[in-house]
């Protein structure tokens, strides 16, 4: 199986008039069908937002991008976890991962972020063997993956 880097984007307007930018991964059906990625992890970074709910500080936005790239490389190098979605808005960026092993994800996350000061992130994990969150994300694209 080959992991591609194909993404789609969507924009969601929130009740307060702000927007959430959504990026979703395409072309990972074979990985999902393998049944090995049954855990979902959500890594959330709370940031200072502007009046539209987006990052107010350019340096923080750049740091989020840098951390995202490093985590994606680290987690996907052996398919421990695959980044499936990114939500940015209302003062937070949330990375959604499907994963084989939550404790190993945590260890690799800590190793990858070792050289950074303490970051404003939180992690949530749950079993999601049907990949419900990812399937809901695909609905935002408006077509079948």
């Amino acid at each position: 199986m080959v992991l591609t880097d194909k993404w789609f984007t969507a924009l969601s307007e929130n009740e307060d008039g702000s927007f959430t930018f959504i990026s979703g991964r395409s072309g990972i059906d074979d990985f999902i069908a393998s049944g090995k990625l049954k855990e979902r992890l959500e890594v959330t970074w709370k940031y200072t937002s502007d009046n539209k709910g987006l990052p107010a500080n350019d340096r923080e936005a750049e740091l989020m991008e840098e951390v995202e790239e490093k985590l994606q490389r680290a987690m996907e190098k052996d398919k421990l976890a695959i980044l499936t979605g990114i939500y940015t808005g209302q003062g937070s960026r949330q990375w959604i991962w499907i994963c084989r092993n939550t404790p190993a994800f945590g260890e690799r996350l800590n190793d990858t972020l070792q050289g950074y000061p303490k970051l404003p992130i939180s992690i949530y994990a749950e079993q999601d063997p049907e990949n419900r969150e990812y399937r809901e994300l695909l609905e935002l694209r408006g077509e079948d993956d």
Side-chain angles (χ1 to χ4, degrees), residues 1-16:
M1 292 184 281
V2 176
L3 182 59
T4 63
D5 204 27
K6 295 179 185 174
W7 293 83
F8 63 89
T9 58
L11 186 63
S12 174
E13 186 171 1
N14 304 306
E15 290 180 15
D16 64 1

Side-chain angles (χ1 to χ4, degrees), residues 87-104:
Y87 299 82
T88 305
Q90 296 187 302
S92 72
R93 177 168 292 173
Q94 188 175 56
W95 295 283
I96 310 297
W97 302 83
I98 54 175
C99 180
R100 289 188 279 134
N101 183 293
T102 297

Side-chain angles (χ1 to χ4, degrees), residues 84-143:
T84 62
I86 305 164
Y87 299 82
T88 305
Q90 296 187 302
S92 72
R93 177 168 292 173
Q94 188 175 56
W95 295 283
I96 310 297
W97 302 83
I98 54 175
C99 180
R100 289 188 279 134
N101 183 293
T102 297
F105 182 96
E107 288 175 19
R108 192 170 294 175
L109 180 132
N110 287 335
D111 289 346
T112 302
L113 301 181
Q114 181 176 331
Y116 291 93
K118 185 176 179 183
L119 299 173
I121 62 173
S122 61
I123 302 169
Y124 170 80
E126 76 173 39
Q127 293 294 312
D128 187 8
E130 289 84 33
N131 299 104
R132 287 184 312 267
E133 193 282 335
Y134 178 68
R135 294 182 194 290
E136 290 172 10
L137 176 62
L138 289 180
E139 290 176 13
L140 295 174
R141 194 174 73 170
E143 55 189 78

